[in-house]
Amino acid sequence: MDFIVAAARKAIEELYGTQVPADVISLQETRKEFEGQVTIVAFPIVRYSKKNPAETAEDIGKYLQANVAEVAAFNVVKGFLNLVLDQQYFLRVFHEEILGTGFGRIAPNGKKVMVEYSSPNTNKPLHLGHVRNNLLGYSVAELLKASGYEVIKVNLVNDRGIHICKSMLAWQKWGNGETPENSGMKGDHLVGKYYVVFDAEYKKEIKALMDQGQTEEQAKKSAPLIVEAQQMLQQWEAGDAGVIALWEKMNGWVYEGFGVTYANLGVDFDRFYYESNTYLLGKDTVEEGLEKGVFFRKDDGSVWIDLTAEGLDEKLVLRADGTSVYITQDLGTAQMKQDDYQMDESIYVVGNEQDYHFKVLFLILEKLGKPWAKGLYHLSYGMVDLPSGKMKSREGTVVDADDLIGEMIRTAKSKTEELGKTNDFPEEDKNALYRNIGLGALKYFLLKVEPKKRLLFDPNESIDFQGHTGPFIQYTHARIRSLLAKAAYQPGGDAAGVELSDTELDMVMMLGKYPAQIREAAATHSPAVMANYLFELAKGFNKFYHEIPPIVKTEAGAQKQFRLNICRVTGDVLRQGMSLLGITVPERM
RNA sequence: GCCUCGGUAGCUCAGUUGGAUAGAGCAACGGUUUUCUAAACCGUGGGUCAGGGGUUCGAAUCCCUUCCGGGGUACCA
């Protein structure tokens, strides 16, 4: 629509003798209740026209109608100039751009971006919060790929630390040699079970100590279990062969379990980093900062950065005993990732409880003069809450990822069977379909909400399969595929002899937006943008489908071919767009 | 306390480079199947865009302020 802006500026120049910047021409889609497709707002122009908005709009409308071939007519309503574009214009756009093979494919931009997501702890299974993280990370990576980036998906696994030692210790004490094999329990769940056991036993000890007169704080520090876990962590850091072997064994179980969950979610990674390899990094960076005078050392030997000038606090970057803290590691890891890949941008998909951490991290890297620091971005997303509030593993209120996936598939199965449309499917296809629909519903549910907003999940209310949902879009796609098959669709056709009805025009306009939607979703790191667009498109298609006479039974000709082309492109855009959300669409359902 | 992110229909959410009478889905009610899949379509009702002030021709959108909610503010990660 750039040509409208250009023409309007020319109109103003010729009518009023003054040049105006492009942003004076405010273009918007014409609201449904008025005639036309594009609207120019007259108010910003009045200071150049020196006339009232209605007269200004009238002037420009007349000029455009006379001088721009595509402008067939216009009307003015309260200072809004609504332009009616020629049908031929839309038909040309449809046949030359939308119908082309490259539609929706954006050329490589030569830039490399890293997306770090998932990044789980290895002491317990994944829950709904992780699911949101994984789906967001995967989708953002796909969106960036589609908008021209080279993408590296990275998972930074937190595989060491006190929490893992807790599981290890509890298993050692009370596990009786239980393994995933002999118990039939998924590895990550098994390890998680002992994490819970640890916590329960630890609490008992605390209570006992408090009964003996200790304060809660003392008790928490002196309970034998926590002391033992800390010793275990020290042994781990010292490279104790027995502890390392146990650690490797139990982490192995967890990775096997995570692998299954990742496969079910359909997410993947190009590279895994492990904190056991990175937790010592960052000390060089601290040295560098001291040399550059960005950091300073206190009398006790601890190293700090003063960010009060930026409205933040003083922040510790190295402990007095010379060991790393979280941010030390992250400074080092950021440098390592940069050295490994030399990417232009780097996105961290991490919950909003770490907003402050990343603000500080990026600021420090900038102060250290890292040229790549400006390419860092924290994709911060809101927590997934239950009606009762936050999910808490200790109170057993977490929604387990594997359970949820299983439940979604079962629900999809029962809903599908209720409808009875797939009774003739082979068993294998049925199961694939249930999985398709169940996961489609779950993924869409999580991705349609703007990332930074918190998300409410009610375990007692199953996720919908009707209305603004994944299955709605999947259904629309299946319907299109079925129709095309019945009509024995063949590509081809041109604008000659085609008349556009209102819904057909709507479809052409909506389809035309697809590339811009990819760009916007990628630029704003928001799968929700794509999700909402696809819903609008599917809704528009269903309306179109109901309004026009049955295509299959229509007599062959330009109009029929045009409608089939609309069906085909809509199906393709739905399929491609959903794949950018990590959702697959079925051929039948 | 300070920092930060939210608050839009009964519920879940769209809508912010400032534009027309604020939109969907669910739920409720009514209609559509001798027509290509009714997981669909059409219609009805439903709003103090948290409150107040300001800027503007025009504010859900920008500024100030109050209230409510989340998160952060560790020599934890």
Side-chain angles (χ1 to χ4, degrees):
Chain A
M1 294 289 171
D2 288 347
F3 72 96
I4 303 270
V5 175
R9 291 173 74 191
K10 190 144 179 284
I12 292 164
E13 192 178 343
E14 297 204 359
L15 289 166
Y16 310 124
T18 122
Q19 294 195 357
V20 297
D23 62 9
V24 167
I25 310 302
S26 153
L27 274 198
Q28 54 187 283
E29 263 182 59
T30 305
R31 295 178 67 114
K32 276 178 300 205
E33 59 264 42
F34 304 109
E35 200 195 351
Q37 294 81 40
V38 194
T39 296
I40 297 175
V41 185
F43 293 98
I45 306 169
V46 296
R47 46 186 281 234
Y48 301 98
S49 70
K50 309 273 197 297
K51 292 185 176 180
N52 69 41
E55 288 168 345
T56 307
E58 193 72 27
D59 287 350
I60 298 171
K62 276 183 187 151
Y63 179 94
L64 292 176
Q65 190 176 14
N67 293 285
V68 179
E70 289 87 351
V71 177
F74 73 94
N75 62 84
V76 177
V77 181
K78 291 200 286 188
F80 292 86
L81 170 59
N82 302 318
L83 300 175
V84 180
L85 300 187
D86 183 40
Q87 289 213 348
Q88 288 309 312
Y89 165 72
F90 291 105
L91 287 170
R92 199 168 66 236
V93 168
F94 183 74
H95 289 92
E96 288 174 10
E97 292 171 26
I98 297 175
L99 220 46
T101 47
F103 182 66
R105 244 172 267 156
I106 295 169
N109 63 6
K111 285 190 184 165
K112 208 190 273 187
V113 58
M114 175 178 284
V115 180
E116 180 195 299
Y117 71 102
S118 200
S119 306
N121 292 351
T122 58
N123 61 321
K124 54 180 190 286
L126 271 29
H127 60 65
L128 183 53
H130 299 113
V131 175
R132 186 177 199 193
N133 179 300
N134 280 287
L135 297 179
L136 262 178
Y138 179 84
S139 178
V140 166
E142 291 303 307
L143 286 163
L144 288 164
K145 260 190 225 171
S147 68
Y149 283 87
E150 181 188 337
V151 177
I152 307 128
K153 300 183 212 178
V154 160
N155 190 345
L156 173 58
V157 183
N158 184 7
D159 61 342
R160 52 140 254 133
I162 190 74
H163 43 287
I164 285 102
C165 289
K166 288 177 181 175
S167 292
M168 285 158 62
L169 189 61
W171 183 84
Q172 218 173 35
K173 286 181 180 297
W174 297 289
N176 295 317
E178 189 177 24
T179 67
E181 290 74 31
N182 68 30
S183 67
M185 199 184 245
K186 199 160 162 280
D188 49 339
H189 289 262
L190 180 68
V191 172
K193 172 179 157 187
Y194 287 97
Y195 186 70
V196 172
V197 168
F198 178 94
D199 197 62
E201 296 294 329
Y202 177 41
K203 278 196 173 125
K204 278 188 214 164
E205 289 186 354
I206 293 171
K207 188 168 183 307
L209 289 171
M210 285 169 71
D211 288 346
Q212 288 167 28
Q214 289 196 14
T215 65
E216 189 177 354
E217 205 176 329
Q218 286 173 325
K220 276 185 176 169
K221 278 187 188 157
S222 59
L225 266 177
I226 195 71
V227 171
E228 219 176 319
Q230 275 156 356
Q231 280 166 359
M232 194 181 241
L233 181 59
Q234 279 164 13
Q235 288 173 317
W236 182 90
E237 291 191 5
D240 180 281
V243 171
I244 298 281
L246 177 61
W247 172 74
E248 283 176 344
K249 175 161 73 180
M250 291 181 71
N251 269 346
W253 295 343
V254 171
Y255 295 143
E256 217 166 292
F258 283 174
V260 171
T261 309
Y262 286 149
N264 278 330
L265 286 174
V267 302
D268 55 20
F269 305 93
D270 300 306
R271 172 77 184 264
F272 285 82
Y273 285 101
Y274 297 92
E275 287 200 14
S276 54
N277 294 324
T278 63
Y279 81 108
L280 295 174
L281 293 175
K283 294 190 188 178
D284 295 347
T285 315
V286 171
E287 275 311 310
E288 189 186 332
L290 281 168
E291 279 165 28
K292 289 184 176 169
V294 176
F295 300 153
F296 65 94
R297 198 185 288 276
K298 287 193 178 174
D299 292 342
D300 65 0
S302 58
V303 180
W304 298 72
I305 184 167
D306 182 0
L307 298 172
T308 48
E310 280 80 11
L312 305 174
D313 306 314
E314 283 191 354
K315 185 85 185 167
L316 177 98
V317 294
L318 196 69
R319 288 192 187 104
D321 64 6
T323 59
S324 299
V325 290
Y326 181 39
I327 202 150
T328 325
Q329 272 182 56
D330 267 6
L331 287 166
T333 309
Q335 182 68 61
M336 181 169 78
K337 292 196 292 191
Q338 195 63 36
D339 292 344
D340 285 350
Y341 292 99
Q342 296 90 38
M343 58 278 190
D344 303 282
E345 293 172 41
S346 187
I347 297 169
Y348 295 78
V349 184
V350 179
N352 65 9
E353 75 256 349
Q354 295 197 34
D355 285 356
Y356 184 72
H357 170 76
F358 282 101
K359 209 172 180 178
V360 171
L361 178 69
F362 297 165
L363 192 55
I364 291 176
L365 288 165
E366 214 169 285
K367 282 181 166 275
L368 288 171
K370 304 293 179 189
W372 40 269
K374 59 184 181 306
L376 301 172
Y377 181 78
H378 173 206
L379 173 48
S380 163
Y381 62 91
M383 299 288 98
V384 181
D385 289 328
L386 305 174
S388 55
K390 210 177 168 181
M391 287 195 280
K392 288 178 185 142
S393 34
R394 304 222 173 93
E395 292 170 23
T397 55
V398 287
V399 177
D400 178 76
D402 296 317
D403 290 350
L404 181 60
I405 291 168
E407 197 185 311
M408 289 305 298
I409 294 171
R410 278 194 299 281
T411 309
K413 179 178 179 183
S414 71
K415 298 222 181 217
T416 306
E417 284 172 347
E418 229 170 82
L419 291 170
K421 290 195 270 188
T422 53
N423 296 337
D424 61 323
F425 277 37
E427 206 57 31
E428 218 178 301
D429 292 3
K430 278 187 190 171
N431 289 328
L433 181 68
Y434 304 149
R435 161 172 291 277
N436 215 332
I437 297 173
L439 281 159
L442 174 63
K443 291 181 181 186
Y444 194 89
F445 176 80
L446 293 173
L447 289 174
K448 77 171 178 184
V449 180
E450 201 56 41
K452 74 177 169 191
K453 293 211 177 179
R454 70 186 258 280
L455 203 146
L456 192 79
F457 177 80
D458 188 345
N460 300 316
E461 270 178 51
S462 57
I463 293 174
D464 274 327
F465 286 70
Q466 286 175 352
H468 189 181
T469 67
F472 173 92
I473 298 169
Q474 291 175 315
Y475 172 74
T476 307
H477 176 265
R479 210 183 210 185
I480 289 170
R481 299 303 301 171
S482 154
L483 190 159
L484 290 173
K486 281 191 179 157
Y489 171 73
Q490 293 293 324
D494 55 36
V498 178
E499 276 295 316
L500 280 176
S501 68
D502 286 350
T503 31
E504 286 164 338
L505 181 58
D506 284 346
M507 287 308 293
V508 172
M509 288 202 291
M510 260 190 286
L511 287 168
K513 286 189 212 165
Y514 178 55
Q517 296 293 325
I518 297 175
R519 284 203 172 85
E520 193 194 333
T524 58
H525 311 101
S526 174
V529 168
M530 179 56 61
N532 286 305
Y533 165 73
L534 293 173
F535 173 63
E536 290 301 321
L537 182 66
K539 206 161 47 131
F541 180 83
N542 283 322
K543 185 183 168 75
F544 159 84
Y545 180 90
H546 276 271
E547 278 188 12
I548 61 170
I551 301 177
V552 175
K553 298 179 180 171
T554 312
E555 102 185 70
Q559 196 70 28
K560 178 175 184 175
Q561 182 64 26
F562 170 70
R563 288 174 174 166
L564 286 171
N565 282 333
I566 285 190
C567 294
R568 196 223 87 202
V569 184
T570 304
D572 287 354
V573 169
L574 291 179
R575 191 185 63 251
Q576 281 178 37
M578 287 291 260
S579 82
L580 299 180
L581 302 178
I583 301 173
T584 50
V585 292
E587 291 291 304
R588 285 182 62 193
M589 70 184 270

